[in-house]
Amino acid sequence: MTLLAIESSCDESSAAVVQDGRVLSCPVSSQIKLHAEYGGVVPELAAREHLRNLPTVVRLALAEAGFPVTTLQAVAATRGPGLPAALLAGYKLAQGMSFSLGVPLYGIHHHEAHLYSPWVAGQPACADFAAFQPNVSLIVSGGHTLLVLVRAEGNHTILGATLDDAAGECFDKTAKILGLPYPGGPELDRLAREGDPKAFSFPRPLLHSDNHDFSFSGLKTSVRYLVRDRPDLLQQGSALRDLCASIQAAIVEVLVAKTLRAAHRCRVACITASGGVTCNSGLRTQLSAACQAAGVELRLASRALCTDNAAMVGLLAERKAKRGEWPDPIDAEVEPSWPLERICGAQPTSR
Ligand code: KG4
Ligand code: ZN
């Protein structure tokens, strides 16, 4: 099967051609520079930028893969959750292609796609996916912090989620308080490498709570008060690096400890991690060390595929198509608040 997938849930426009479990192309056009000026993603601008960039990434994906559009046997697009207007740009383009080519359209859940991103790198990708089920999967991005129990394909339970800020949001907001450029996560990560993670003691929210939820807004407030009382810290290079290292240590410790505890409680032998924050060097190192110590298999998405991309959307769609799942009806709409647990091989709403 040859399938074209489109991703446009937030600020990355991406298209990918997937054939029999292999990713043949996956160009991504990021809008980071556009939104940096505003210190965060502006939904209206994101949607306009998707409209401008998607035709280009689609053409590029087809050209790189060497397939004319008429050879496609299916199309797929992220249907939700995400920014409504951003989702519309990609999903409606896919719907138009599906209609004009006379091929099925698979609307994909963005988080379910992330669950597959640790398997994208293998060729054919996902070949050993079933061997690592059940697993506990950490999805950490600018918009989400989720712990998911993946029992089997299409069989997921959300164990916990953030009660307030997402982990990536916490990285970005604390970095902003420190005066670092948007998006702050990568910059904070870079400075943290030369800092002392024990220099400042920041709260580890819900670390010992008897659930799998997260909360990061208290940590952000704690950084804000410290900087308000000690603005001089931002003027000293070493203190700034120590601050970055200490903030990262607090976020990473909570993510790692709660993920390992969830895996232990669910008695799974495999953990996976994906989403933009999985690029974080501290998280990658410490999750690897903790999994090794606990004798748990770890599958991390490759850095290039942690952030949003159409390859993960295409691989998942192809698996659904091959399992005989129903494509979307031609009048389907995007689902900006689509809960992961409503997937289970079914359509989000009956229309
Ligand atoms: O998955 P993603 O590209 O977009 C969504 O939010 O859906 O994730 C972006 C988030 C941002 O908050 C960004 O700061 C964070 O991932 N991020 C990082 C790193 N690289 C990206 N956070 C910490 N350390 C990094 N190296
Ligand atoms: Zn994402």
Coordinates of all heavy atoms in Angstrom, one line a residue, residues 179-268:
G179 N 14.7 34.7 30.8 CA 15.1 35.6 29.7 C 15.6 34.8 28.5 O 16.2 35.4 27.7
L180 N 15.3 33.5 28.4 CA 15.8 32.8 27.3 C 14.8 32.9 26.1 O 13.6 33.1 26.3 CB 16.0 31.3 27.7 CG 16.9 31.0 28.9 CD1 17.0 29.5 29.2 CD2 18.3 31.6 28.6
P181 N 15.3 32.7 24.9 CA 14.4 32.8 23.7 C 13.5 31.7 23.6 O 13.7 30.6 24.1 CB 15.4 32.9 22.5 CG 16.7 32.3 23.0 CD 16.7 32.5 24.5
Y182 N 12.3 31.9 22.9 CA 11.3 30.9 22.6 C 11.8 30.0 21.5 O 12.3 30.5 20.5 CB 10.0 31.5 22.3 CG 8.9 30.6 21.8 CD1 8.1 29.9 22.7 CD2 8.8 30.3 20.4 CE1 7.2 29.0 22.2 CE2 7.8 29.4 20.0 CZ 7.0 28.8 20.9 OH 6.1 27.9 20.4
P183 N 11.5 28.7 21.4 CA 11.0 27.9 22.6 C 12.1 27.6 23.5 O 13.2 27.2 23.2 CB 10.5 26.7 21.9 CG 11.3 26.5 20.7 CD 11.8 27.9 20.3
G184 N 11.8 27.8 24.8 CA 12.9 27.8 25.8 C 13.4 26.4 26.1 O 14.6 26.3 26.6
G185 N 12.6 25.4 25.9 CA 13.1 24.0 26.2 C 14.5 23.6 25.7 O 15.4 23.3 26.5
P186 N 14.7 23.7 24.4 CA 16.0 23.4 23.9 C 17.2 24.2 24.5 O 18.3 23.8 24.8 CB 15.9 23.6 22.4 CG 14.4 23.5 22.1 CD 13.8 24.0 23.3
E187 N 16.9 25.5 24.6 CA 17.9 26.5 25.2 C 18.2 26.2 26.6 O 19.4 26.1 27.0 CB 17.4 27.9 25.0 CG 18.4 29.0 25.3 CD 19.6 29.0 24.4 OE1 19.6 28.3 23.4 OE2 20.5 29.8 24.7
L188 N 17.2 25.9 27.4 CA 17.4 25.5 28.8 C 18.2 24.2 28.9 O 19.1 24.1 29.7 CB 16.0 25.4 29.5 CG 16.0 25.4 31.0 CD1 14.7 26.1 31.5 CD2 16.0 24.0 31.6
D189 N 17.9 23.3 28.0 CA 18.6 22.0 28.0 C 20.1 22.3 27.7 O 21.0 21.7 28.4 CB 17.9 21.2 26.9 CG 18.5 19.8 26.7 OD1 19.4 19.4 27.6 OD2 18.1 19.0 25.8
R190 N 20.4 23.1 26.8 CA 21.7 23.4 26.4 C 22.5 24.0 27.6 O 23.6 23.6 27.9 CB 21.7 24.4 25.2 CG 23.1 24.5 24.5 CD 22.9 25.5 23.3 NE 22.6 26.9 23.8 CZ 23.5 27.7 24.3 NH1 24.8 27.4 24.5 NH2 23.1 29.0 24.7
L191 N 21.9 25.0 28.2 CA 22.6 25.6 29.4 C 22.7 24.7 30.6 O 23.7 24.8 31.3 CB 21.9 26.9 29.8 CG 21.9 28.1 28.7 CD1 21.0 29.2 29.1 CD2 23.3 28.6 28.6
A192 N 21.7 23.8 30.7 CA 21.7 22.9 31.9 C 22.9 22.0 31.8 O 23.4 21.5 32.9 CB 20.4 22.1 31.9
R193 N 23.4 21.7 30.7 CA 24.5 20.7 30.5 C 25.7 21.2 31.3 O 26.6 20.4 31.7 CB 24.9 20.5 29.1 CG 23.9 19.6 28.4 CD 24.1 19.4 26.9 NE 22.8 19.3 26.3 CZ 22.5 19.3 25.0 NH1 23.5 19.6 24.2 NH2 21.3 19.2 24.6
E194 N 25.9 22.5 31.5 CA 27.1 23.0 32.2 C 26.7 23.5 33.6 O 27.5 24.2 34.2 CB 27.7 24.1 31.4 CG 28.4 23.7 30.1 CD 28.5 24.8 29.1 OE1 28.6 25.9 29.5 OE2 28.5 24.5 27.9
G195 N 25.5 23.2 34.1 CA 25.1 23.7 35.4 C 25.1 22.6 36.4 O 25.2 21.4 36.1
D196 N 24.9 23.1 37.7 CA 24.8 22.1 38.8 C 23.3 21.9 39.1 O 22.6 22.8 39.6 CB 25.6 22.7 40.0 CG 25.4 21.9 41.3 OD1 24.8 20.7 41.2 OD2 25.8 22.3 42.3
P197 N 22.9 20.6 38.9 CA 21.4 20.4 39.1 C 21.0 20.4 40.6 O 19.8 20.4 40.9 CB 21.2 18.9 38.6 CG 22.6 18.3 38.5 CD 23.6 19.5 38.4
K198 N 22.0 20.5 41.5 CA 21.7 20.5 42.9 C 21.8 21.9 43.5 O 21.6 22.2 44.7 CB 22.6 19.6 43.7 CG 22.4 18.1 43.3 CD 22.9 17.2 44.4 CE 22.5 15.8 44.2 NZ 23.6 15.0 43.5
A199 N 22.2 22.9 42.7 CA 22.5 24.3 43.2 C 21.2 24.9 43.8 O 21.3 25.6 44.8 CB 23.0 25.1 42.0
F200 N 20.1 24.7 43.2 CA 18.8 25.2 43.7 C 17.8 24.1 43.9 O 17.8 23.1 43.1 CB 18.2 26.2 42.7 CG 19.1 27.4 42.4 CD1 20.0 27.4 41.4 CD2 19.0 28.5 43.3 CE1 20.8 28.5 41.1 CE2 19.8 29.6 43.0 CZ 20.7 29.6 41.9
S201 N 17.0 24.2 45.0 CA 16.1 23.2 45.3 C 14.7 23.6 44.9 O 14.1 24.4 45.5 CB 16.2 22.9 46.8 OG 15.1 22.1 47.1
F202 N 14.2 23.0 43.8 CA 12.8 23.4 43.3 C 11.9 22.2 43.6 O 12.3 21.1 43.7 CB 12.9 23.6 41.8 CG 13.6 24.9 41.4 CD1 14.7 24.9 40.6 CD2 13.1 26.1 41.9 CE1 15.4 26.1 40.3 CE2 13.7 27.3 41.6 CZ 14.9 27.3 40.8
P203 N 10.6 22.5 43.8 CA 9.6 21.5 44.1 C 9.5 20.4 43.0 O 9.7 20.7 41.9 CB 8.3 22.2 44.3 CG 8.5 23.6 43.7 CD 10.0 23.9 43.7
R204 N 9.3 19.2 43.5 CA 9.0 18.0 42.6 C 7.5 17.7 42.7 O 7.1 16.8 43.5 CB 9.8 16.8 43.0 CG 11.1 16.6 42.4 CD 12.2 17.6 42.9 NE 13.5 17.2 42.4 CZ 14.5 18.1 42.2 NH1 14.3 19.4 42.5 NH2 15.7 17.7 41.8
P205 N 6.6 18.5 42.0 CA 5.2 18.3 42.2 C 4.7 16.9 42.0 O 5.0 16.3 41.0 CB 4.6 19.3 41.2 CG 5.7 20.1 40.7 CD 7.0 19.4 40.9
L206 N 3.8 16.5 42.9 CA 3.1 15.2 42.9 C 4.1 14.0 42.7 O 3.7 12.9 42.4 CB 2.1 15.1 41.7 CG 1.0 16.2 41.7 CD1 0.0 15.9 40.6 CD2 0.3 16.2 43.0
L207 N 5.4 14.2 43.1 CA 6.3 13.1 43.0 C 5.9 11.9 43.8 O 6.0 10.7 43.3 CB 7.7 13.6 43.4 CG 8.9 12.6 43.4 CD1 9.1 12.0 42.0 CD2 10.2 13.2 43.9
H208 N 5.4 12.1 45.0 CA 5.0 11.0 45.9 C 3.5 10.7 45.9 O 3.1 10.0 46.7 CB 5.6 11.2 47.3 CG 7.1 11.4 47.2 ND1 7.9 10.3 46.9 CD2 7.9 12.4 47.5 CE1 9.2 10.8 46.9 NE2 9.2 12.0 47.3
S209 N 2.8 11.4 45.1 CA 1.3 11.2 45.1 C 0.9 9.8 44.6 O 1.7 9.3 43.8 CB 0.6 12.3 44.3 OG 0.9 12.0 42.9
D210 N -0.2 9.3 45.1 CA -0.5 8.0 44.8 C -1.4 7.9 43.5 O -2.4 7.3 43.5 CB -1.3 7.4 46.0 CG -1.4 5.8 45.8 OD1 -0.5 5.3 45.2 OD2 -2.4 5.3 46.3
N211 N -0.9 8.6 42.5 CA -1.6 8.5 41.2 C -0.6 8.8 40.1 O 0.6 8.9 40.4 CB -2.7 9.6 41.1 CG -2.2 11.0 41.3 OD1 -1.1 11.3 40.9 ND2 -3.0 11.8 42.0
H212 N -1.0 8.8 38.9 CA 0.0 9.0 37.8 C -0.2 10.3 37.1 O 0.2 10.5 36.0 CB -0.3 7.9 36.7 CG -0.2 6.5 37.3 ND1 1.0 6.0 37.8 CD2 -1.1 5.5 37.4 CE1 0.8 4.7 38.2 NE2 -0.4 4.4 38.0
D213 N -0.7 11.3 37.9 CA -0.9 12.6 37.3 C 0.3 13.5 37.6 O 1.2 13.2 38.4 CB -2.1 13.3 37.9 CG -3.4 12.7 37.4 OD1 -3.4 12.2 36.3 OD2 -4.4 12.6 38.2
F214 N 0.4 14.6 36.8 CA 1.5 15.5 36.9 C 1.0 16.9 37.2 O -0.2 17.2 36.9 CB 2.3 15.6 35.6 CG 2.9 14.3 35.2 CD1 2.2 13.4 34.4 CD2 4.2 13.9 35.7 CE1 2.7 12.2 34.0 CE2 4.7 12.7 35.3 CZ 4.0 11.8 34.4
S215 N 1.8 17.8 37.8 CA 1.5 19.2 37.9 C 2.8 20.0 37.9 O 3.7 19.7 38.6 CB 0.8 19.4 39.3 OG 0.8 20.8 39.6
F216 N 2.8 21.0 37.0 CA 4.1 21.7 36.9 C 3.9 23.2 37.1 O 4.9 23.9 37.1 CB 4.7 21.5 35.5 CG 5.2 20.1 35.2 CD1 4.5 19.2 34.4 CD2 6.3 19.7 35.9 CE1 4.9 17.9 34.2 CE2 6.8 18.4 35.7 CZ 6.1 17.5 34.9
S217 N 2.7 23.7 37.4 CA 2.6 25.2 37.5 C 3.3 25.7 38.8 O 3.8 26.8 38.9 CB 1.1 25.6 37.5 OG 0.4 25.1 38.6
G218 N 3.3 24.8 39.9 CA 3.9 25.3 41.1 C 5.4 25.4 41.0 O 6.0 26.4 41.5
L219 N 6.0 24.6 40.2 CA 7.5 24.7 39.9 C 7.8 26.0 39.2 O 8.7 26.8 39.5 CB 7.9 23.5 39.0 CG 9.3 23.5 38.4 CD1 10.4 23.7 39.5 CD2 9.5 22.2 37.7
K220 N 6.9 26.4 38.2 CA 7.1 27.6 37.5 C 7.0 28.8 38.4 O 7.8 29.7 38.4 CB 6.0 27.7 36.4 CG 5.9 29.0 35.6 CD 4.6 29.0 34.8 CE 3.3 29.0 35.7 NZ 2.1 28.8 35.0
T221 N 6.0 28.8 39.3 CA 5.8 29.9 40.3 C 7.0 30.0 41.2 O 7.4 31.1 41.5 CB 4.5 29.6 41.1 OG1 3.4 29.3 40.2 CG2 4.2 30.8 42.0
S222 N 7.5 28.9 41.6 CA 8.7 28.9 42.5 C 9.9 29.5 41.8 O 10.6 30.3 42.4 CB 9.0 27.4 42.9 OG 10.2 27.3 43.4
V223 N 10.1 29.3 40.5 CA 11.2 29.9 39.8 C 10.9 31.4 39.6 O 11.8 32.2 39.8 CB 11.3 29.3 38.3 CG1 12.3 30.0 37.5 CG2 11.7 27.8 38.4
R224 N 9.6 31.8 39.4 CA 9.3 33.2 39.3 C 9.6 34.0 40.6 O 10.2 35.0 40.5 CB 7.8 33.3 38.9 CG 7.3 34.8 38.9 CD 5.9 34.9 38.3 NE 5.9 34.6 36.9 CZ 5.0 33.9 36.3 NH1 4.0 33.4 37.0 NH2 5.0 33.6 35.0
Y225 N 9.2 33.4 41.7 CA 9.5 34.1 43.0 C 11.0 34.2 43.3 O 11.5 35.2 43.7 CB 8.8 33.3 44.1 CG 7.3 33.6 44.2 CD1 6.4 32.7 44.8 CD2 6.7 34.7 43.5 CE1 5.1 32.8 44.8 CE2 5.3 34.8 43.5 CZ 4.5 33.9 44.2 OH 3.2 34.1 44.2
L226 N 11.7 33.1 42.9 CA 13.2 33.2 43.2 C 13.8 34.3 42.3 O 14.6 35.1 42.8 CB 13.8 31.8 42.8 CG 15.3 31.8 42.9 CD1 15.8 32.0 44.4 CD2 15.9 30.5 42.4
V227 N 13.4 34.4 41.1 CA 14.0 35.4 40.2 C 13.5 36.8 40.6 O 14.3 37.8 40.5 CB 13.6 35.1 38.7 CG1 14.0 36.2 37.8 CG2 14.4 33.8 38.3
R228 N 12.3 36.9 41.1 CA 11.8 38.2 41.6 C 12.7 38.7 42.7 O 13.1 39.9 42.8 CB 10.4 38.1 42.0 CG 9.7 39.4 42.5 CD 8.5 39.1 43.3 NE 8.7 38.3 44.5 CZ 7.8 37.8 45.3 NH1 6.5 38.0 45.0 NH2 8.1 37.2 46.4
D229 N 13.0 37.8 43.6 CA 13.8 38.1 44.8 C 15.3 38.2 44.6 O 16.0 38.9 45.3 CB 13.5 37.1 46.0 CG 12.0 37.1 46.4 OD1 11.3 38.1 46.1 OD2 11.6 36.1 46.9
R230 N 15.7 37.5 43.6 CA 17.2 37.5 43.3 C 17.5 37.8 41.8 O 18.0 36.9 41.1 CB 17.8 36.1 43.6 CG 17.8 35.7 45.1 CD 18.9 36.4 45.9 NE 20.2 36.4 45.2 CZ 21.1 35.4 45.3 NH1 20.8 34.3 45.9 NH2 22.2 35.5 44.6
P231 N 17.1 38.9 41.3 CA 17.3 39.2 39.8 C 18.7 39.2 39.4 O 19.1 38.9 38.3 CB 16.7 40.6 39.7 CG 16.6 41.2 41.0 CD 16.4 40.1 42.0
D232 N 19.6 39.3 40.4 CA 21.1 39.3 40.2 C 21.5 37.9 39.6 O 22.5 37.9 38.8 CB 21.9 39.6 41.4 CG 21.5 38.6 42.5 OD1 20.3 38.6 43.0 OD2 22.4 37.8 43.0
L233 N 20.7 36.9 39.9 CA 21.1 35.5 39.4 C 21.2 35.5 37.9 O 22.0 34.7 37.3 CB 20.1 34.5 39.9 CG 20.1 34.2 41.5 CD1 19.0 33.3 41.8 CD2 21.5 33.6 41.9
L234 N 20.3 36.3 37.3 CA 20.2 36.2 35.8 C 21.4 36.9 35.1 O 21.7 36.7 33.9 CB 18.9 36.8 35.3 CG 17.7 36.2 35.8 CD1 16.5 36.8 35.1 CD2 17.7 34.7 35.7
Q235 N 22.2 37.7 35.9 CA 23.3 38.4 35.4 C 24.6 37.6 35.4 O 25.6 37.9 34.8 CB 23.5 39.7 36.1 CG 22.3 40.6 36.3 CD 21.6 40.8 35.0 OE1 22.2 41.0 34.0 NE2 20.3 40.8 35.0
Q236 N 24.6 36.5 36.2 CA 25.8 35.7 36.3 C 25.6 34.4 35.5 O 24.7 33.7 35.7 CB 26.0 35.3 37.8 CG 25.9 36.4 38.8 CD 25.5 35.9 40.2 OE1 25.8 34.7 40.5 NE2 24.9 36.7 41.0
G237 N 26.5 34.2 34.6 CA 26.5 33.1 33.7 C 26.4 31.7 34.4 O 25.6 30.9 34.1
S238 N 27.2 31.6 35.5 CA 27.2 30.3 36.2 C 25.9 30.1 36.9 O 25.4 29.0 37.0 CB 28.4 30.2 37.1 OG 28.3 31.1 38.1
A239 N 25.3 31.1 37.5 CA 24.1 31.0 38.3 C 22.9 30.7 37.3 O 22.1 29.8 37.6 CB 23.8 32.3 39.1
L240 N 23.0 31.3 36.1 CA 21.9 31.0 35.1 C 22.0 29.5 34.7 O 21.0 28.8 34.6 CB 22.1 31.9 33.9 CG 21.1 31.7 32.8 CD1 19.7 32.0 33.3 CD2 21.4 32.6 31.6
R241 N 23.2 29.0 34.5 CA 23.4 27.6 34.1 C 22.9 26.7 35.2 O 22.3 25.7 35.0 CB 24.8 27.3 33.7 CG 25.2 28.0 32.4 CD 26.5 27.5 31.9 NE 27.7 28.0 32.7 CZ 28.3 29.1 32.4 NH1 27.9 29.9 31.4 NH2 29.3 29.5 33.2
D242 N 23.2 27.1 36.5 CA 22.8 26.3 37.6 C 21.2 26.3 37.7 O 20.6 25.2 38.1 CB 23.4 26.8 38.9 CG 24.9 26.5 39.1 OD1 25.4 25.7 38.3 OD2 25.5 27.1 39.9
L243 N 20.6 27.4 37.5 CA 19.2 27.5 37.5 C 18.6 26.6 36.5 O 17.6 25.8 36.8 CB 18.7 29.0 37.2 CG 18.7 29.9 38.4 CD1 18.5 31.4 37.8 CD2 17.6 29.6 39.3
C244 N 19.1 26.6 35.3 CA 18.6 25.8 34.2 C 18.8 24.3 34.6 O 17.8 23.5 34.4 CB 19.4 26.0 32.9 SG 19.0 27.6 32.2
A245 N 19.9 23.9 35.1 CA 20.2 22.5 35.5 C 19.2 22.1 36.6 O 18.7 21.0 36.6 CB 21.6 22.3 35.9
S246 N 19.0 23.0 37.5 CA 18.1 22.6 38.7 C 16.6 22.5 38.3 O 15.9 21.6 38.8 CB 18.2 23.7 39.8 OG 19.6 23.8 40.2
I247 N 16.2 23.4 37.4 CA 14.8 23.3 36.9 C 14.6 22.0 36.1 O 13.7 21.2 36.3 CB 14.5 24.5 35.9 CG1 14.5 25.8 36.8 CG2 13.2 24.3 35.2 CD1 14.5 27.1 35.9
Q248 N 15.6 21.7 35.2 CA 15.5 20.5 34.4 C 15.5 19.3 35.3 O 14.8 18.3 35.1 CB 16.7 20.5 33.4 CG 16.7 19.2 32.5 CD 17.7 19.4 31.4 OE1 17.6 20.3 30.6 NE2 18.6 18.5 31.3
A249 N 16.4 19.3 36.3 CA 16.4 18.1 37.2 C 15.1 17.9 37.9 O 14.7 16.7 38.0 CB 17.5 18.4 38.3
A250 N 14.4 19.0 38.3 CA 13.1 18.8 39.0 C 12.1 18.2 38.0 O 11.3 17.3 38.3 CB 12.6 20.2 39.5
I251 N 12.0 18.7 36.8 CA 11.0 18.2 35.8 C 11.3 16.8 35.5 O 10.4 15.9 35.5 CB 11.0 19.1 34.5 CG1 10.6 20.5 34.8 CG2 10.1 18.5 33.5 CD1 10.8 21.5 33.7
V252 N 12.6 16.5 35.2 CA 13.0 15.2 34.7 C 12.8 14.1 35.8 O 12.3 13.0 35.6 CB 14.5 15.2 34.2 CG1 15.0 13.8 34.1 CG2 14.6 16.0 32.9
E253 N 13.1 14.5 37.1 CA 13.0 13.5 38.2 C 11.5 13.1 38.3 O 11.2 11.9 38.4 CB 13.4 14.1 39.5 CG 13.4 13.1 40.6 CD 13.9 13.7 42.0 OE1 14.6 14.7 42.0 OE2 13.5 13.0 43.0
V254 N 10.6 14.0 38.2 CA 9.2 13.7 38.3 C 8.7 12.8 37.1 O 8.1 11.8 37.3 CB 8.3 15.0 38.4 CG1 6.8 14.6 38.4 CG2 8.6 15.8 39.6
L255 N 9.1 13.2 35.9 CA 8.7 12.4 34.7 C 9.3 11.0 34.8 O 8.5 10.0 34.6 CB 9.2 13.1 33.4 CG 8.6 14.4 33.1 CD1 9.3 15.0 31.8 CD2 7.1 14.3 32.8
V256 N 10.5 10.8 35.2 CA 11.2 9.5 35.2 C 10.6 8.7 36.3 O 10.2 7.5 36.1 CB 12.7 9.6 35.4 CG1 13.3 8.3 35.6 CG2 13.3 10.3 34.2
A257 N 10.5 9.2 37.5 CA 10.0 8.4 38.7 C 8.5 8.0 38.4 O 8.2 6.8 38.7 CB 10.0 9.3 39.9
K258 N 7.7 8.9 37.9 CA 6.3 8.5 37.7 C 6.1 7.5 36.6 O 5.2 6.6 36.6 CB 5.4 9.7 37.6 CG 5.5 10.6 38.9 CD 4.3 11.5 39.1 CE 3.2 10.7 39.7 NZ 2.2 11.6 40.4
T259 N 6.9 7.6 35.6 CA 6.8 6.7 34.5 C 7.3 5.3 34.9 O 6.6 4.3 34.6 CB 7.7 7.1 33.3 OG1 7.3 8.5 32.9 CG2 7.6 6.3 32.1
L260 N 8.4 5.2 35.7 CA 8.8 3.9 36.2 C 7.8 3.3 37.1 O 7.6 2.1 37.1 CB 10.2 4.1 36.9 CG 11.5 3.8 36.1 CD1 11.6 2.3 35.7 CD2 11.6 4.6 34.8
R261 N 7.2 4.2 38.0 CA 6.3 3.6 38.9 C 5.0 3.1 38.2 O 4.5 2.0 38.5 CB 5.8 4.7 39.9 CG 5.1 4.1 41.1 CD 4.3 5.1 41.9 NE 5.2 6.2 42.3 CZ 4.7 7.4 42.7 NH1 3.4 7.6 42.7 NH2 5.6 8.3 43.1
A262 N 4.6 3.8 37.2 CA 3.5 3.3 36.4 C 3.8 2.0 35.7 O 2.9 1.0 35.7 CB 3.1 4.3 35.3
A263 N 5.0 1.8 35.2 CA 5.4 0.6 34.5 C 5.4 -0.6 35.5 O 4.9 -1.7 35.3 CB 6.7 0.7 33.9
H264 N 5.9 -0.2 36.7 CA 6.0 -1.3 37.8 C 4.6 -1.7 38.2 O 4.3 -2.9 38.3 CB 6.7 -0.7 39.0 CG 6.8 -1.6 40.1 ND1 7.6 -2.8 40.1 CD2 6.2 -1.6 41.3 CE1 7.5 -3.4 41.2 NE2 6.7 -2.7 42.0
R265 N 3.7 -0.7 38.4 CA 2.3 -1.0 38.8 C 1.5 -1.8 37.8 O 0.7 -2.6 38.1 CB 1.6 0.2 39.2 CG 2.0 0.8 40.5 CD 1.0 1.8 41.1 NE 1.5 2.3 42.3 CZ 1.0 3.4 42.9 NH1 0.1 4.1 42.3 NH2 1.5 3.8 44.0
C266 N 1.8 -1.4 36.5 CA 1.1 -2.1 35.4 C 1.7 -3.4 35.0 O 1.3 -4.1 34.1 CB 0.9 -1.2 34.2 SG 0.0 0.3 34.5
R267 N 2.9 -3.7 35.7 CA 3.6 -4.9 35.4 C 4.0 -5.1 33.9 O 3.8 -6.1 33.3 CB 2.9 -6.2 35.9 CG 2.7 -6.2 37.3 CD 2.1 -7.6 37.8 NE 2.0 -7.7 39.2 CZ 1.0 -7.2 39.9 NH1 0.0 -6.6 39.3 NH2 1.0 -7.4 41.2
V268 N 4.5 -4.0 33.3 CA 4.9 -4.1 31.9 C 6.4 -4.1 31.9 O 7.1 -3.6 32.8 CB 4.4 -2.9 31.1 CG1 2.9 -2.8 31.1 CG2 5.0 -1.6 31.5

